[in-house]
Amino acid sequence: MKRSLKALTLLVSGAITATAPGVAWSQAARSYISIVGSSTVYPFATVVAERFGGTGKYKTPKVESTGSGGGIKLFCGGVGVQYPDIANSSRAIKPAELKDCVAHGVKDVIEIKIGYDGIVLAESVAAPGLNLSMRDIWLALAKQVPDPKGKQTFVANPYKTWKDLNPQLPAEVIEVLGPPPTSGTRDAFVELAMEGGCKSFPWIKAIKEQDENRFKQICHTMREDGRFIEAGENDNLIVQKLKANRNAVGIFGYSFLEQNSDSVKGSLVDGVEPTFENIASGTYPVSRPLFFYVKKAHIGSIPGIAEYLKEFASLKAMGEEGYLADRGLVPLSPAEYKAVVGQVNKLVTMPLPR
Amino acid sequence: MMVPDDDRSSRQLSPEETRRRVDASLRRRYRRERLFRFYGLFSVCLGVVFLLLLFGTIIGNGYSAFRQSFIHLDIHFDADVIDPDGARDSDVLSVADYSLLVKAALRELIPEAASRAERRELNQLVSAGAIFSLRDTVMADPQILGQTKPLWLPLNSEVDLWLKAQASGKVGAEVSTRLSEQQLAWLERLQAGERIELRLNRAFFTSGDSREPELAGIWGATKGSFFMLLVTLLLSFPLGVAAAIYLEEFARRSWWVDVVEVNINNLAAVPSIVFGLLGLAVFINFFGLPRSAPLVGGLVLTLMTLPVVIIASRAAIKSVPPSVREAALGIGASPMQMVFHHVLPLAMPGMLTGAIIGMARALGESAPLLMIGMVAFIVDVPSGPMSPSTALPVQIYLWADSPERAFVERTSAAIMVLLAFLLVMNATAVWLRSRFERRW
């Protein structure tokens, strides 16, 4: 007993002394690339990271799924091995975020657009299929809608079935499963689809000039009476629910539609089907660009960053028939792709905010 | 209560009436007891049903992940493709395009796939990870260049799902798949030629994470969890036991000890995410430890398990009868000798049990790891407590969130592995208790 206790004490003191010089570690070199950011870009960045590491020349980068905002905040924390090298984002970096970056000494940021992600409204393949306009989407999901009697006032959303809001739609109960407000998919859906439908009323559009906040509150607020259901961040869960309930409509990223195309299908928006071609050509209206941001100061001190960028921007990854396209990333147009390749080769940084 | 005599006599009951009343109340009491037992049994049964349902779904979904379909290909290691210069330089060998070898072998098996689109469909059948095993083969033995060697290579996860559905007896339209008619026809031909086989999925137990479901494994996450628990055990057990001994045996009762005691009890009830935030602020931002390191994870989990260990250890020390202490002190032992020679050995089984149960809780924890960057895609298996890694529950979360459908079965399989570890740990706790515990 006595001896084992002595051994234990030794182990503890060893463990404690091992933790003490933590500050020293932060100065030590890091041999792998550290990537943080959006959970929407995560499935694509990880595929590239794995292929990049698979060649054996560099270590496989570490990709954290922190969400766009959280990732950019970490990224802008400063220059040095303890800060990430790359931030993935499902939206462009905001001027305020870029200022924060500069304030922490991150002055050279390279912005790279990697492709597009369509946001789809999907149903079970057994369902007859919907053809929605943006206005239908907004009327079905907004908390307050214009008085159906035609006056320019708002009432709490009275619509119970799709037919109520547009006689051409089926008389099925409105039941939409979507992501929670913390999700980037939700942000993009609200900005593109909801606001798009909202703006189709000229008198509401006029509010935007007078009172931006009121306009946002009208257009961006989702109904809370149980017809729009926040189904959590897990898109697989939404797909499962759509399979079980053919009345339900789910909102998620195109890659999930692509992977589950045998059980769910996309609804038409403004008459356009959410297909790969339609999103790539820009005819499908609810799509957004995806980005990642690179700290130029780290190129050279962390091994492999420039090579990782080249792998990402290569034809076999980002190209029209690349492996990212197989995963559901909608590729850039040839002109945009060319611009990105030029950027990667020359490492062009973003202009500093004033 | 005082009851007047005459009143009692007026209520004098006949023996028959008494018996009747007693019988009636007895029946009622028996009925109540039966009902209560039924309620108890019902709750137990309900619990068992839910447990079986949970295990049933997880095992039903996950058992198939332990097998994986492979294709038997005669790979010709063409020296002109891999190493045109003939220098056998390892840099050249590591970046060569091994997918060409797989494509050539497939074309030999199915020569009629001639058009570009057809060949693309054909090549999709084999996993994108097949090239890694080819590269490893060549790097291990460059002499193989120029020879032909039959190899079992993993098939794509979509193919794997279809083959497994077929193996479980489903046919035709019952199986929903994204494979084309043409691909299915090729697969049936390859099956007839005994080129395809379901084999043990060794990669699942030996490799790290991957975005190709057929290559993804839990070894990386398991090792990450192991390093984390090691740090937690090494810190929380000695610290917890020392704190418990001091509080129970040496500290004089004062308001200060009361405050410490209340705080320890409160800490045990704090949600684990709070410890994650604390870990982020203290260990990463202040001490500058690296993100995603099992060491930081272990430190955070130590904060979380420490109160549990202290409380369990104090209970174990309390259960040692005072006579043992008095006897030791009576024959001249110092208080420290009394504690270390007599009380601690007797309390050890209880302390270990508490520690193991605390560790089991720590093993299943994912929320605090979110804050310190362990929710990450990490392919390389960690080599120590400082290299980036994930943990088992985090791996489950990441796979459950992946769009590729083959991750469904792998998620369940990973849950099975985690449950197995928890079961082993809890069984050890039970065994320790029954083996070493002394009753007074």
Side-chain angles (χ1 to χ4, degrees), chain A residues 23 25 90 107 123 127 131 263 266:
Chain A
V23 187
W25 276 323
S90 57
K107 293 196 179 78
E123 292 173 281
N131 181 359
S263 50

Side-chain angles (χ1 to χ4, degrees), chain B residues 134-271:
Chain B
L134 290 189
R135 199 191 56 221
D136 293 346
T137 315
V138 172
M139 300 293 276
D141 177 21
Q143 299 302 319
I144 204 168
L145 287 184
Q147 299 172 22
T148 302
K149 193 182 172 193
L151 278 177
W152 285 99
L153 296 173
L155 282 163
N156 182 297
S157 61
E158 201 77 34
V159 178
D160 185 48
L161 282 180
W162 184 76
L163 287 169
K164 279 175 183 162
Q166 232 195 8
S168 66
K170 288 187 194 158
V171 277
E174 278 179 67
V175 188
S176 67
T177 180
R178 300 194 308 143
L179 298 171
S180 70
E181 298 272 323
Q182 178 69 73
Q183 285 175 318
L184 294 181
W186 284 331
L187 281 176
E188 268 159 21
R189 233 177 77 192
L190 289 169
Q191 263 180 319
E194 300 201 331
R195 285 276 174 182
I196 290 177
E197 207 175 278
L198 272 177
R199 319 178 104 207
L200 178 70
N201 186 1
R202 209 175 293 144
F204 185 76
F205 296 104
T206 55
S207 52
D209 197 5
S210 168
R211 286 311 312 293
E212 315 289 342
E214 64 272 16
L215 303 179
I218 48 160
W219 183 235
T222 311
K223 245 181 134 179
S225 274
F226 168 76
F227 287 129
M228 230 161 57
L229 287 192
L230 191 72
V231 173
T232 311
L233 184 67
L234 286 184
L235 289 175
S236 70
F237 188 64
L239 285 179
V241 169
I245 290 175
Y246 179 77
L247 286 175
E248 277 301 316
E249 300 288 340
F250 294 105
R252 289 218 196 95
R253 281 217 86 70
S254 68
W255 67 270
W256 186 79
V257 172
D258 284 342
V259 168
V260 170
E261 201 164 307
V262 167
N263 275 311
I264 288 171
N265 289 336
N266 273 340
L267 272 181
V270 167

Side-chain angles (χ1 to χ4, degrees), chain A residues 80-96:
Chain A
V81 280
Q82 68 270 44
Y83 302 105
D85 314 311
I86 294 174
N88 297 323
S89 178
S90 57
R91 54 171 173 76
I93 192 168
K94 292 175 184 161

Side-chain angles (χ1 to χ4, degrees), chain A residues 160-222:
Chain A
K160 289 196 172 64
T161 69
W162 293 100
K163 201 183 169 80
D164 291 346
L165 57 97
N166 180 349
Q168 279 158 10
L169 291 172
E172 269 165 19
V173 176
I174 299 173
E175 189 182 344
V176 180
L177 303 152
T182 46
S183 154
T185 311
R186 166 78 168 262
D187 288 346
F189 175 78
V190 162
E191 260 165 46
L192 296 162
M194 296 284 284
E195 198 173 312
C198 188
K199 272 189 201 155
S200 68
F201 293 89
W203 60 275
I204 301 182
K205 202 178 173 188
I207 297 178
K208 187 173 184 177
E209 269 104 69
Q210 297 156 10
D211 188 348
E212 179 97 31
N213 285 336
R214 183 168 145 69
F215 172 77
K216 274 197 176 153
Q217 188 224 324
I218 293 165
C219 294
H220 291 192
T221 314
M222 310 286 273

